Amino acid sequence: MSTTESERLRGLLEPLVLAEQLDLEEIEVSRAGRRRVLRIIVDSDEGVELDTCAELSRAISAKLDESDAMGEAEYVLEVSSPGADRPLTEHRHYVRATGRLVKFQLSVRDGGDGGADGELVARVLAVDEDGLDLEVPGVKGRKPTSRRIAFADIAKARVEIEFNRKDKKEEEA
């Protein structure tokens, strides 16, 4: 998708997404046979419910139908929230990952105790403008340790799926 097409679609659709108090994370147009697929990824600090995606999908579809943004060719519209394994790229992504276990690929210049090949798995405790405060799990019965990393030292980051993790709602109950 060209930059101008992406900017045009973002300008057209972002007000609809913001009206639902969501963040427009990504717009992707791809080919699927003769049709095009328009994927809209939205998120919020509280997550996104299926009903909200359905309502937003109807609003986006109506807006696209009244404009020529997608041209005359057939297209399929998909509105969803990001998957659990999506990369953390924005400050708000790290804020939303507070309390979660995250796998970091550290840049070469960090050179800290991230382990072999610059990988670090740690729980995000706090996020500020400069970086993250982490809790690195202890290995072989050792106690967890604290660590601070700057955003500049992070090459990649993804939330690790924890099947036995207690949800915030469970902890409050």
Side-chain angles (χ1 to χ4, degrees):
M1 172 170 66
S2 71
T3 303
T4 54
E5 181 181 26
S6 175
E7 290 169 358
R8 189 173 68 235
L9 284 169
R10 183 170 285 277
L12 183 69
L13 303 178
E14 196 157 37
L16 298 173
V17 174
L18 292 174
E20 293 290 333
Q21 299 168 344
L22 300 171
D23 295 317
L24 179 56
E25 295 291 347
E26 187 177 333
I27 296 175
E28 177 187 319
V29 178
S30 60
R31 287 241 169 248
R34 286 188 264 155
R35 294 184 191 168
R36 293 190 299 164
V37 177
L38 172 60
R39 283 186 187 88
I40 310 292
I41 308 296
V42 296
D43 202 4
S44 78
D45 291 344
E46 293 79 36
V48 182
E49 293 185 8
L50 186 57
D51 289 342
T52 304
C53 282
E55 290 170 20
L56 185 58
S57 180
R58 285 189 288 276
I60 288 173
S61 181
K63 187 72 164 180
L64 291 172
D65 288 348
E66 72 184 34
S67 75
D68 67 343
M70 291 300 291
E72 296 297 318
E74 288 184 28
Y75 66 92
V76 174
L77 174 62
E78 294 178 6
V79 178
S80 66
S81 62
D85 64 343
R86 73 116 187 258
L88 304 178
T89 57
E90 303 284 334
H91 185 271
R92 68 178 175 267
H93 298 164
Y94 291 99
V95 172
R96 290 175 186 156
T98 301
R100 305 289 304 268
L101 201 60
V102 175
K103 183 176 186 177
F104 297 94
Q105 182 71 40
L106 302 175
S107 60
V108 176
R109 71 185 187 99
D110 178 60
D113 60 353
D117 71 357
E119 283 189 359
L120 172 68
V121 177
R123 191 165 308 280
V124 177
L125 299 177
V127 181
D128 60 32
E129 295 303 314
D130 301 317
L132 310 167
D133 291 326
L134 306 173
E135 178 184 75
V136 181
V139 180
K140 296 182 182 175
R142 293 185 183 157
K143 290 184 179 180
T145 57
S146 296
R147 177 153 180 203
R148 170 94 181 156
I149 58 173
F151 287 118
D153 294 333
I154 301 171
K156 294 180 189 175
R158 287 187 192 274
V159 170
E160 288 282 281
I161 310 259
E162 295 178 85
F163 293 105
N164 59 353
R165 177 179 174 259
K166 287 189 178 181
D167 193 7
K168 289 180 187 177
K169 293 176 187 172
E170 289 177 29
E171 291 172 4
E172 291 172 0

